Amino acid sequence: MNDKNKHIRQRPDDEYPNPGVPADGAWAGMQDMLDREMPLSEADVSSRNGNFNWAKAIKLLSVTCLTFAGLVYLILSKKPANLDNKMKSETLKEERNEPALDHRKNTFENSSKTHLGVVKPTSISNIIEQKSSEKPIIRRIQSDSLPLQGHNQINSESGLNQKGRALKKEGVSNSNESKKLLAGQSAVRLEGELSSGTKRTPGVKSERTNNVSKVVKTLDLPNQDQSKTSSIIPIGAHRNNRTDANSQWVVTGENSQAKLANQKKETFSGVQNNISTPSESGLKITPEKRFYPISMLFGRNMSSLNHLEQTLKTIRIQSTGPVSKQPKKMGKQNILEDIHGGLLWNISVPFSGYDSYFRGTNNTNFQVSGVSNEFYKVLFPGLWIAKTLKNGDEIVIKMKPYNQYFGSGNRSDSSRVRESDTTGNYFTITRRLLKSSGPNLGVQYNHAITRGWSVGIGANMQWQPKALLGNEVKSSRRNSVVDYVPFVSLVQSTDTSNYLKPSFIAANIELLYSWKKLQLGAGFGIPVTSMIGTRYRSLRPISGQVTFRWKLK
Amino acid sequence: MDQLRDILEGCKRNDRKSQEGLYYQFYPALFTLCRKFFADEHDIQTALNNGMMKVFKNISQYDDGKGNFFNWAYTVVRNSCLTILRDRKSDVVVTFREELPDVADYDPFETSNWEDIFQYLNQLPPATRAVCSLFYLEDFSIKEIVTEMGMKEGTVKWHLNESRNRLKEIFTKSKKS
């Protein structure tokens, strides 16, 4: 090649006369040749012009936005649930004036701990077995350090088994209790008349286990009849945010008592799930209404265990019903309250092409448009439905039966036709997209900046069954325009797919102002996928838009 | 250079965007090249696109260590023009002369700009135009023209002499006017 360098005087960056054939037309012919002799693979075709990447990106963005909006909604809609938790906590407040169990001689008045559990009575005497991989709540307790002599007895696993057998022998009415007590690996049982003098089993330790735990505390409460009164008291706040579900306590009453004798035998099961601490829930607990988690007793000075029975006595257990269903009811009500809807007018404001703004299209392809005025179509209202979030933001779904999108006269297709004579001259036919029209469906997220102003970003699917083109014919002989038709109709079909895609995705950003039931917005819209179907070029003209929303609900 | 290198890499992957970029970048120069040999725009475009098709097809064979890419593409497109000229059998009756003047003594395009050059070339018959362009504008020797065009040496000289005489007449007329 070097030996021929002397034959090259030209350089690519030199100044050359204007080529007689525009580069666009020449490249169109070159593309045809390339497609015939060097066809692209399907992947290359799909990725050409970057359309695929744009579409993929906008889809990903839309999914991300929707997911984010959903998460925001879920987070915000949990506020009523917190209120419910607060209500649940309220139900747990013990009324210290309740004399039901005041026969007990110990109280928790000196304790500063609070009880956070939810105690739910059930009609069936049962014991909730809780399997947990977490650490058991009961600390290792040296039995000889327990100040429970004559009152409480804490058994280790072996002790529990023994006591379970003992219970069985003693004819405990609830056989399941005995079985579970026997099966428990790390159970603590407090049995006996706490107020009366019972003997503490020496050398018995309360062990901590790391796997399945069933913590059972049995308190023999006074009862006039021989049947046991069992209550499962949840253990509230304790280490590692452990909840009552991790343990069960069985409180049984044996001895009769004046007020308990009149009460129906009840079994209470404690359920405490995801209950926030008083500080988290904003619940203020007065000193008079303090109540104490049983579990905390084992981490405290054991003298506080003496307060246990008093706590159990003084707790007034209220039936809260199936509290888990309550937030759902409130959530449904909020959803209906926050949904609004109304009419929508969206007016496109193109940067050029106003002469075709109201012009309609015929149903004949590439024929001169005979419909000169279809202004009424612009007045067709659309519908919108919005969900107002807690922070004032909105998620809006928009549906418009007729929406225009302007192509700003950009070239959508160019082809060449050889003239009928033998001179080799040809015509170059250039078609420019003026506008397309059709239904539109979109989703938009409006972020409230101030009370009246908000900014929105959204994605729209625009269908374009019809379009309006400008047709230009240029002759190579005179290098001049020989024919120009300003408005040519185009109807979506397989024959016209090169000129017009069935639909495209557009993004829009708006600044909105709300005043009473009206909302006025202005912004821009830009297609993220091409409006035209040719593989070689993409057409994504930006255009302005004015939005008017009327809130009916 | 980095941009051209990226374009060439894209062309090697048969990427249309890169091919389009390369086509648009060289289009003015290569169109001017083809215009030296052809008056008709369709012929110009045919020669140009045929040449660029060869460039795109054989771009993997280009070795940047052996020369500039533009020179390589330029040569390919020029050969495409010559191929078309060879395929068209000249209907010009060539008259041989015993003694031909030294055609290299005079360069009719020495001080002319592109528009003038094309204006002059348009006055010449196709074959004479091609030989004249190769000799005066492309610095081909007579032997190289003989090889490239498949003509006899006398025929090439005749074309050169013919172009010289015609251009002299044109220059004279233009000066008088």
Side-chain angles (χ1 to χ4, degrees):
Chain A
M1 195 165 58
N2 288 330
D3 59 342
K4 290 190 177 182
N5 278 345
K6 62 181 180 179
H7 301 320
I8 301 173
R9 289 182 176 179
Q10 294 182 222
R11 292 290 175 269
D13 51 354
D14 288 347
E15 289 187 3
Y16 296 102
N18 189 26
V21 179
D24 287 347
W27 171 244
M30 187 76 240
Q31 281 180 331
D32 293 338
M33 294 177 66
L34 285 169
D35 284 343
R36 283 195 305 269
E37 301 189 26
M38 299 174 69
L40 294 174
S41 62
E42 289 296 325
D44 293 334
V45 171
S46 61
S47 62
R48 188 188 294 183
N49 294 329
N51 288 344
F52 177 77
N53 293 334
W54 273 101
K56 195 174 183 180
I58 194 63
K59 285 176 185 174
L60 187 62
L61 184 64
S62 301
V63 170
T64 304
C65 289
L66 290 174
T67 305
F68 178 74
L71 286 174
V72 169
Y73 169 72
L74 288 175
I75 291 170
L76 294 174
S77 63
K78 278 189 175 179
K79 284 186 176 178
N82 291 333
L83 291 175
D84 285 345
N85 290 337
K86 192 174 179 180
M87 294 169 60
K88 283 189 285 185
S89 298
E90 292 284 356
T91 62
L92 294 175
K93 288 184 178 179
E94 54 185 314
E95 296 182 10
R96 304 181 69 84
N97 295 328
E98 175 62 39
L101 299 173
D102 60 359
H103 70 287
R104 306 295 180 183
K105 58 187 177 183
N106 295 324
T107 64
F108 278 86
E109 291 177 358
N110 296 327
S111 175
S112 61
K113 298 297 181 181
T114 57
H115 176 71
L116 301 176
V118 174
V119 181
K120 185 176 68 174
T122 60
S123 61
I124 303 171
S125 174
N126 57 9
I127 298 172
I128 296 176
E129 294 185 20
Q130 181 68 35
K131 294 182 177 181
S132 171
S133 59
E134 299 180 19
K135 295 179 180 178
I137 59 172
I138 303 170
R139 293 182 181 178
R140 186 184 185 92
I141 300 170
Q142 297 296 331
S143 61
D144 51 2
S145 65
L146 293 174
L148 298 175
Q149 295 177 2
H151 298 284
N152 302 332
Q153 184 175 9
I154 300 176
N155 292 335
S156 64
E157 181 178 352
S158 60
L160 176 67
N161 292 338
Q162 292 172 0
K163 297 304 294 181
R165 295 187 192 99
L167 275 174
K168 208 169 184 179
K169 290 177 180 177
E170 292 168 7
V172 175
S173 61
N174 192 340
S175 60
N176 290 332
E177 291 182 11
S178 300
K179 291 177 181 178
K180 289 172 182 177
L181 288 171
L182 290 170
Q185 295 181 0
S186 177
V188 176
R189 181 175 179 184
L190 301 178
E191 73 170 1
E193 176 62 37
L194 295 179
S195 61
S196 64
T198 57
K199 292 181 180 180
R200 177 173 63 88
T201 304
V204 176
K205 297 178 181 179
S206 174
E207 296 292 340
R208 178 187 300 179
T209 60
N210 291 324
N211 48 20
V212 179
S213 66
K214 181 170 66 178
V215 182
V216 178
K217 184 183 72 173
T218 302
L219 295 179
D220 294 332
L221 299 177
N223 200 345
Q224 286 184 338
D225 55 20
Q226 293 301 316
S227 60
K228 299 279 186 177
T229 298
S230 299
S231 297
I232 300 174
I233 308 301
I235 299 172
H238 43 80
R239 291 175 293 119
N240 302 328
N241 294 326
R242 193 184 309 280
T243 64
D244 289 351
N246 292 329
S247 62
Q248 303 90 39
W249 296 80
V250 177
V251 181
T252 61
E254 289 179 343
N255 298 334
S256 61
Q257 192 196 26
K259 293 184 179 179
L260 270 181
N262 297 328
Q263 293 179 349
K264 189 178 179 179
K265 182 176 65 178
E266 291 181 349
T267 301
F268 301 95
S269 63
V271 177
Q272 182 186 16
N273 293 322
N274 300 325
I275 295 178
S276 58
T277 63
S279 59
E280 292 170 350
S281 62
L283 180 62
K284 293 181 179 179
I285 300 176
T286 60
E288 291 74 19
K289 293 189 175 183
R290 285 173 183 163
F291 42 93
Y292 313 95
I294 295 172
S295 64
M296 298 304 296
L297 298 174
F298 298 96
R300 293 170 50 83
N301 188 321
M302 298 317 296
S303 62
S304 63
L305 282 175
N306 294 330
H307 302 296
L308 171 62
E309 59 174 353
Q310 186 59 32
T311 300
L312 297 175
K313 289 182 293 184
T314 56
I315 288 177
R316 178 173 183 170
I317 301 169
Q318 299 177 0
S319 175
T320 58
V323 292
S324 59
K325 292 182 179 179
Q326 293 178 5
K328 294 180 179 178
K329 290 180 179 178
M330 296 181 66
K332 287 179 180 177
Q333 290 173 355
N334 290 337
I335 288 175
L336 294 176
E337 288 174 359
D338 295 338
I339 287 181
H340 309 289
L343 299 179
L344 165 73
W345 287 268
N346 194 357
I347 301 169
S348 295
V349 183
F351 293 110
S352 63
Y354 284 100
D355 50 348
S356 63
Y357 200 94
F358 297 112
R359 181 172 284 274
T361 57
N362 292 334
N363 290 323
T364 309
N365 282 327
F366 305 119
Q367 296 298 315
V368 178
S369 171
V371 184
S372 61
N373 202 339
E374 287 185 344
F375 68 92
Y376 55 89
K377 284 190 175 180
V378 183
L379 300 177
F380 285 169
L383 296 175
W384 63 272
I385 300 173
K387 161 70 178 171
T388 304
L389 305 179
K390 297 295 180 185
N391 56 358
D393 293 358
E394 281 184 323
I395 300 173
V396 186
I397 297 175
K398 303 176 290 185
M399 294 157 283
K400 287 171 281 185
Y402 180 84
N403 189 57
Q404 294 190 132
Y405 222 98
F406 288 83
S408 299
N410 289 319
R411 182 167 63 87
S412 63
D413 180 69
S414 182
S415 59
R416 293 195 312 166
V417 178
R418 185 178 285 273
E419 291 185 33
S420 57
D421 57 12
T422 57
T423 59
N425 294 319
Y426 55 89
F427 294 119
T428 302
I429 303 171
T430 303
R431 296 185 175 94
R432 303 182 186 280
L433 181 63
L434 301 177
K435 71 171 185 179
S436 67
S437 58
N440 182 285
L441 179 65
V443 61
Q444 183 168 323
Y445 184 85
N446 295 335
H447 173 65
I449 304 173
T450 63
R451 187 176 182 84
W453 292 92
S454 60
V455 61
I457 182 170
N460 303 276
M461 174 71 84
Q462 171 75 41
W463 285 268
Q464 36 185 14
K466 289 185 176 182
L468 209 58
L469 304 178
N471 209 7
E472 179 186 276
V473 181
K474 200 172 181 180
S475 172
S476 64
R477 186 188 305 177
R478 295 183 293 275
N479 196 22
S480 60
V481 176
V482 296
D483 188 23
Y484 178 69
V485 183
F487 305 113
V488 175
S489 296
L490 189 68
V491 180
Q492 178 59 240
S493 67
T494 55
D495 297 334
T496 60
S497 58
N498 278 344
Y499 307 104
L500 196 65
K501 286 177 71 174
S503 63
F504 67 89
I505 299 173
N508 70 292
I509 183 169
E510 276 185 334
L511 182 65
L512 298 128
Y513 179 73
S514 301
W515 182 70
K516 293 184 178 178
K517 291 191 173 183
L518 304 178
Q519 195 171 43
L520 185 66
F524 297 95
I526 181 170
V528 292
T529 60
S530 179
M531 296 176 70
I532 58 177
T534 179
R535 296 179 300 169
Y536 308 116
R537 299 184 69 252
S538 62
L539 187 60
R540 298 194 294 267
I542 188 172
S543 63
Q545 59 183 18
V546 175
T547 305
F548 181 75
R549 283 166 55 184
W550 181 19
K551 183 179 175 183
L552 296 178
K553 176 188 175 297
Chain B
M1 282 302 291
D2 291 337
Q3 183 182 2
L4 179 62
R5 189 174 293 113
D6 293 340
I7 288 176
L8 295 182
E9 289 300 320
C11 291
K12 289 177 183 176
R13 297 191 306 268
N14 197 24
D15 176 50
R16 285 288 186 272
K17 280 286 184 186
S18 300
Q19 290 167 341
E20 184 178 7
L22 183 66
Y23 189 89
Y24 274 76
Q25 185 172 346
F26 289 168
Y27 183 74
L30 297 180
F31 189 89
T32 303
L33 165 66
C34 297
R35 199 174 173 185
K36 294 174 185 176
F37 301 101
F38 304 102
D40 182 67
E41 288 180 347
H42 184 259
D43 292 337
I44 294 170
Q45 195 166 340
T46 301
L48 174 58
N49 286 354
N50 287 347
M52 286 305 292
M53 178 56 70
K54 290 178 183 175
V55 169
F56 291 139
K57 278 185 174 178
N58 302 291
I59 199 166
S60 58
Q61 298 177 13
Y62 164 70
D63 184 2
D64 56 357
K66 292 183 178 179
N68 187 291
F69 178 79
F70 174 76
N71 292 346
W72 182 73
Y74 186 95
T75 305
V76 172
V77 173
R78 184 172 60 195
N79 289 339
S80 172
C81 295
L82 297 178
T83 301
I84 294 175
L85 289 171
R86 272 197 305 270
D87 292 343
R88 292 180 181 176
K89 293 182 179 180
S90 174
D91 53 356
V92 175
V93 178
V94 178
T95 305
F96 293 94
R97 294 184 177 178
E98 290 294 332
E99 295 180 0
L100 293 174
D102 189 358
V103 293
D105 290 344
Y106 172 71
D107 184 357
F109 307 114
E110 193 171 5
T111 58
S112 302
N113 57 30
W114 284 113
E115 291 297 334
D116 292 336
I117 289 172
F118 292 132
Q119 185 180 351
Y120 301 147
L121 288 176
N122 287 341
Q123 309 297 322
L124 300 176
T128 305
R129 175 185 182 130
V131 173
C132 177
S133 294
L134 285 173
F135 189 81
Y136 291 113
L137 298 178
E138 298 296 309
D139 287 341
F140 272 54
S141 67
I142 293 178
K143 287 185 179 179
E144 287 171 335
I145 295 172
V146 167
T147 305
E148 295 294 335
M149 296 291 291
M151 294 178 177
K152 293 181 179 179
E153 184 175 343
T155 305
V156 172
K157 287 183 176 180
W158 180 89
H159 281 299
L160 289 174
N161 189 55
E162 183 72 10
S163 63
R164 183 181 178 183
N165 293 333
R166 290 206 180 197
L167 291 176
K168 271 188 176 179
E169 293 177 8
I170 296 167
F171 290 151
T172 305
K173 288 180 182 177
S174 62
K175 285 181 181 178
K176 286 180 180 178
S177 61

